Amino acid sequence: MTVLLRILGVRRFQAINTAIIRSVIQQRTMSEHLERTAHNFRQPGVSEAVVTSIQDVSPSVKQLTLQVNNPHFSFKAGQWVDFFIPGIEVFTGFSMCSAPHKLKQHGILELAVQVTDYPPTLWVHEKCKVGDKVGIRVGGDQIIFDPQPGDPKTDILLLAGGIGINPLVSIIQHVAHLHDNKVCDTGKVQMLYSASSIKELIFKQTIADICQRIPDVNCQFFVTKENIDEQDQSTSNSIISHRIDGSTLEGALKNLDITSVRCYICGPPPMIASMETYLQELGVKKEQFHCEKWW
């Protein structure tokens, strides 16, 4: 009996200790998210959104479609939302992968969420279902693309690594919307998009369709952990088996005005750091960079 009580006591201690550790980790992660984005713009208040669709867009990424009924809710291409889940204390930020016109016309926005062991992303991948309600709050001023009629044409370089494609695919869709509706001329657009494998090149077809339709929009795709035996050599659909490097960037900049090009970069911090170094070596000024780092 005494031995049994000791065993139960040890197990209870271990359970309590595990719970405490998890709580500390969650609190630390939540505070890290707030600390990292404390200097960023945030809209006041949290809006309710309803999950209307869940799709697998790659082996590691699910796309959520959210219906937002708040008429005052709005965002600009490149921004993100704080994502609040009822019953989960911690929260994180997800960049919109849809363009603003979808929200204006249909009241919806889309998020692509890569699986991790972090509670909010686990919820999206394992528990989220159509009809669930979440809270969202728009934030972000590092990457914003919002040209207005009458603005001078400015070339754009979009550099995406992995799930960092989210804000940049929002931008390229916004470019297409502005072009199709003759709102304004955005200049030339060059996108370089890198992922670990072909299956992880989410939104590849969406991007390729835009490139095929609009002459001044081009994209190259890169995979870092998969060999490509046959390559489609067309400008908008080529897939190359190596990382984006200095020579790649040099080639991309040849068709852009290097003195005024705006460079939007989103991906892991090491990737962003290397892109910034390459670009500065090629003559692009630091003030032309617009970066979003996601950990």
Side-chain angles (χ1 to χ4, degrees):
M1 186 68 173
T2 302
V3 173
L4 178 60
L5 289 173
R6 286 178 180 174
I7 292 173
L8 291 174
V10 169
R11 288 179 178 175
R12 183 182 179 189
F13 172 78
Q14 290 175 335
I16 293 172
N17 192 46
T18 300
I20 291 172
I21 292 172
R22 286 177 178 170
S23 177
V24 169
I25 290 172
Q26 290 179 352
Q27 289 174 14
R28 185 185 68 219
T29 308
M30 179 171 64
S31 65
E32 285 177 354
H33 171 66
L34 289 173
E35 289 170 5
R36 289 168 177 163
T37 60
H39 62 287
N40 290 139
F41 161 81
R42 275 184 167 85
Q43 285 183 352
V46 176
S47 298
E48 183 181 83
V50 181
V51 178
T52 60
S53 173
I54 308 170
Q55 297 180 344
D56 292 316
V57 292
S58 87
S60 70
V61 179
K62 286 185 181 291
Q63 180 175 310
L64 299 185
T65 301
L66 304 178
Q67 183 76 40
V68 186
N69 296 319
N70 181 358
H72 303 294
F73 183 91
S74 65
F75 73 93
K76 298 175 182 178
Q79 289 187 301
W80 41 262
V81 289
D82 289 326
F83 193 80
F84 302 91
I85 304 166
I88 297 181
E89 292 183 3
V90 295
F91 67 93
T92 191
F94 298 132
S95 294
M96 270 69 75
C97 60
S98 54
H101 72 272
K102 277 194 174 182
L103 178 66
K104 293 178 181 178
Q105 295 175 1
H106 308 292
I108 63 172
L109 62 82
E110 294 165 341
L111 308 172
V113 180
Q114 189 169 49
V115 67
T116 68
D117 59 359
Y118 187 45
T121 61
L122 279 178
W123 179 85
V124 169
H125 278 258
E126 297 179 356
K127 297 182 179 180
C128 181
K129 61 185 183 300
V130 171
D132 283 344
K133 295 180 179 180
V134 296
I136 53 176
R137 177 175 60 198
V138 171
D141 47 23
Q142 301 293 95
I143 292 182
I144 289 182
F145 178 73
D146 187 33
Q148 299 298 312
D151 287 351
K153 289 196 302 183
T154 304
D155 291 344
I156 302 167
L157 178 62
L158 305 173
L159 304 176
I163 199 63
I165 187 61
N166 278 334
L168 306 189
V169 78
S170 176
I171 288 176
I172 205 169
Q173 289 178 94
H174 191 45
V175 167
H177 174 73
L178 296 176
H179 173 272
D180 294 343
N181 291 275
K182 297 179 172 58
V183 176
C184 61
D185 191 341
T186 58
K188 296 179 180 178
V189 179
Q190 178 70 53
M191 172 182 276
L192 305 179
Y193 173 22
S194 174
S196 60
S197 66
I198 293 177
K199 289 183 178 180
E200 293 297 341
L201 286 169
I202 59 176
F203 310 123
K204 179 181 180 296
Q205 192 58 54
T206 296
I207 296 166
D209 289 345
I210 291 172
C211 293
Q212 186 174 11
R213 187 160 50 83
I214 305 176
D216 284 339
V217 179
N218 293 287
C219 182
Q220 281 185 300
F221 301 98
F222 300 80
V223 293
T224 59
K225 297 181 180 179
E226 182 177 356
N227 292 321
I228 309 299
D229 294 328
E230 296 181 4
Q231 297 181 17
D232 181 349
Q233 296 299 318
S234 65
T235 302
S236 62
N237 289 296
S238 61
I239 302 176
I240 302 170
S241 296
H242 66 70
R243 297 183 184 277
I244 301 170
D245 56 20
S247 61
T248 308
L249 289 170
E250 185 177 14
L253 288 170
K254 285 182 178 178
N255 296 320
L256 307 176
D257 184 351
I258 196 171
T259 63
S260 62
V261 63
R262 298 173 67 181
C263 303
Y264 294 92
I265 314 171
C266 189
M271 176 259 192
I272 292 178
S274 64
M275 295 300 100
E276 289 179 331
T277 299
Y278 288 137
L279 288 169
Q280 289 183 83
E281 290 174 350
L282 292 167
V284 182
K285 297 178 181 178
K286 196 169 184 178
E287 54 265 30
Q288 293 171 247
F289 302 160
H290 305 270
C291 305
E292 193 79 77
K293 299 176 183 178
W294 288 108
W295 285 261

